[in-house]
Amino acid sequence: MKLPTVFWVFVILLLTAAGQARAQATYNRWEARPVAMPQIRFTKAQQDSIRRAAYWQKNPSLKRGIGSRIRNRQLLPEDQPYFDFVGRSVRYPAAALRAQTEGEVWMQLAVDATGRVVKVTLLTTTIAPGAGGEAEIVQQTREILQHLRFEPAAAATQEEARISFGIR
């Protein structure tokens, strides 16, 4: 039995339409893979700059005159970042810990107009002279206070700061 030509034309059109639909479906399918981010290579100076910026963003600037407010026990709420910073930064020197050395160290800070500490000098200490670990405590105090940042001012100023070392 011979099928009419109209039937074959219909079958060909149907197969062609199905093929086009299949092709259209695969064409519209999203098969993209995530593109890997290009590796950015920073120089040592750029890495240091990025690290420094992150450090200063984490540590807010201090209000000037904190030393006199500490001496007079007239602290402001804005002084809390100083105590937070010192609390995070102090590491009791091993020699001082072995000798059970305790005390306060007062330093004078030369702060430039931008708020950076440019010079740290020892004012006074309550640690007995020659006590075990005294030099390490003074050195650590100097290093910690060197990293403070104050609010900008019209001119350079002299500030005082204290760090207490105690064993509990």
Side-chain angles (χ1 to χ4, degrees):
M1 175 170 153
K2 194 171 182 183
L3 293 174
T5 311
V6 176
F7 174 76
W8 290 113
V9 170
F10 177 72
V11 169
I12 292 173
L13 285 175
L14 187 63
L15 288 176
T16 309
Q20 288 174 349
R22 190 172 355 104
Q24 186 68 28
T26 59
Y27 176 76
N28 286 335
R29 195 170 328 147
W30 182 259
E31 295 181 0
R33 304 276 189 275
V35 177
M37 290 295 294
Q39 291 295 325
I40 300 172
R41 305 268 184 214
F42 292 109
T43 65
K44 176 77 169 131
Q46 289 172 326
Q47 290 173 356
D48 290 344
S49 177
I50 292 168
R51 218 175 283 121
R52 213 174 297 116
Y55 175 81
W56 289 125
Q57 285 177 349
K58 187 172 63 174
N59 296 318
S61 7
L62 301 173
K63 196 169 184 78
R64 293 187 189 232
I66 190 166
S68 62
R69 291 193 300 276
I70 290 173
R71 279 194 195 275
N72 298 331
R73 301 192 192 295
Q74 297 174 344
L75 297 173
L76 301 174
E78 295 88 33
D79 295 334
Q80 188 58 42
Y82 168 76
F83 297 105
D84 294 340
F85 175 76
V86 169
R88 281 193 319 264
S89 303
V90 168
R91 300 288 176 259
Y92 217 100
L97 195 57
R98 279 192 298 273
Q100 301 286 308
T101 304
E102 296 181 321
E104 289 183 350
V105 179
W106 280 90
M107 296 276 187
Q108 183 174 20
L109 313 173
V111 182
D112 67 6
T114 63
R116 278 191 18 223
V117 176
V118 292
K119 185 177 177 186
V120 180
T121 54
L122 179 64
L123 280 179
T124 184
T125 178
T126 61
I127 300 171
E134 175 196 13
E136 289 87 356
I137 287 177
V138 171
Q139 180 60 31
Q140 183 177 24
T141 302
R142 182 174 279 117
E143 289 173 4
I144 290 170
L145 296 178
Q146 183 72 43
H147 289 93
L148 289 178
R149 181 178 57 136
F150 290 86
E151 60 190 8
T157 59
Q158 298 291 321
E159 301 291 332
E160 290 181 359
R162 171 198 74 183
I163 296 184
S164 298
F165 288 83
I167 301 171
R168 294 182 227 183

